[in-house]
Amino acid sequence: MRVALLEKNKLGFIDGKCLKEHYKSDLEHEWESCNAFVLFWITDSISKELANGLMYSINAHNVWVELKEHFDKKNLTRVYQLLREICNMSQGAASVSQYYSKLKNAWDEYWSMVPLPCDCEKCKNYAEHMEQHKLVQFLMGLNETYEQAKSQVLLTVPVPILNQADNMIMQDESQRS
């Protein structure tokens, strides 16, 4: 949702940077129109039951804060489930592409719940370390038929990023079929 609002240059309506008080006289009508657009977009993107509870809301920022307080909770149970799923995930009968997509979705959900605390150098180093960890997890979950391709990825200098490794393994899969 944030990406779509950013693309439409409307993110300020939910993060509190674009408040009605900042727009007087001629622009007040424009603010109302944009706020209504964002409110409609939010309520149209959620379930009907949730939208019904927001029917009389008039401020997109307040709605966003309310939804965030309700849903943006650190759910340790879900974090546990995701890590367990990631650690136990393997390719099985799926194609490399299907396996990679499933694994990537689990990682993305995990990192949305447990983001890095800052943009400092230590966190950047940790993020790079975790990217390498994800690469190893991806390779470990591949079927045994990809042993040679896995070795090739692991011996590549510099170590390829995850997307490059996925591409290398998919090329190997294509050659096999």
Side-chain angles (χ1 to χ4, degrees):
M1 206 179 287
R2 291 179 58 84
V3 173
L5 290 171
L6 181 62
E7 189 268 330
K8 296 285 187 190
N9 202 22
K10 303 286 186 263
L11 193 58
F13 284 86
I14 62 166
D15 66 12
K17 292 180 182 170
C18 187
L19 299 173
K20 186 175 183 177
E21 299 84 54
H22 300 149
Y23 300 91
K24 296 295 180 193
S25 65
D26 296 344
L27 295 178
E28 192 170 353
H29 177 69
E30 294 296 321
W31 185 92
E32 292 282 351
S33 177
C34 290
N35 181 66
F37 167 78
V38 174
L39 267 172
F40 171 77
W41 197 84
I42 291 171
T43 56
D44 196 47
S45 300
I46 59 178
S47 71
K48 296 296 178 205
E49 294 80 24
L50 284 173
N52 287 339
L54 302 171
M55 189 175 357
Y56 298 106
S57 300
I58 58 171
N59 185 300
H61 174 65
N62 292 344
V63 168
W64 186 261
V65 168
E66 186 177 329
L67 290 171
K68 189 171 173 57
E69 286 172 355
H70 186 75
F71 292 104
D72 193 24
K73 295 184 173 34
K74 300 286 188 255
N75 183 338
L76 193 56
T77 303
R78 183 61 184 145
V79 169
Y80 172 83
Q81 290 170 338
L82 284 167
L83 284 175
R84 186 179 178 110
E85 181 182 326
I86 289 167
C87 290
N88 294 322
M89 196 175 297
S90 63
Q91 181 184 359
S95 70
V96 172
S97 180
Q98 291 168 328
Y99 162 63
Y100 175 75
S101 294
K102 187 175 177 184
L103 194 54
K104 184 173 182 329
N105 286 341
W107 284 323
D108 289 347
E109 184 179 349
Y110 172 80
W111 284 109
S112 74
M113 296 179 80
V114 187
L116 293 176
C118 64
D119 289 337
C120 69
E121 197 60 38
K122 277 187 176 181
C123 285
K124 288 180 184 174
N125 291 340
Y126 179 71
E128 288 173 13
H129 168 77
M130 290 310 296
E131 285 302 312
Q132 226 175 26
H133 187 77
K134 287 164 57 173
L135 171 64
V136 171
Q137 284 178 317
F138 168 68
L139 295 174
M140 287 181 354
L142 288 169
N143 292 340
E144 290 180 11
T145 56
Y146 295 101
E147 288 301 319
Q148 185 176 354
K150 288 192 268 187
S151 293
Q152 182 183 356
V153 169
L154 291 169
L155 294 173
T156 303
V157 177
V159 176
I161 61 172
L162 183 58
N163 290 337
Q164 292 169 332
D166 175 51
N167 188 31
M168 292 167 72
I169 301 293
M170 283 185 6
Q171 286 177 11
D172 186 75
E173 182 181 50
S174 294
Q175 287 178 347
R176 291 172 190 273
S177 47

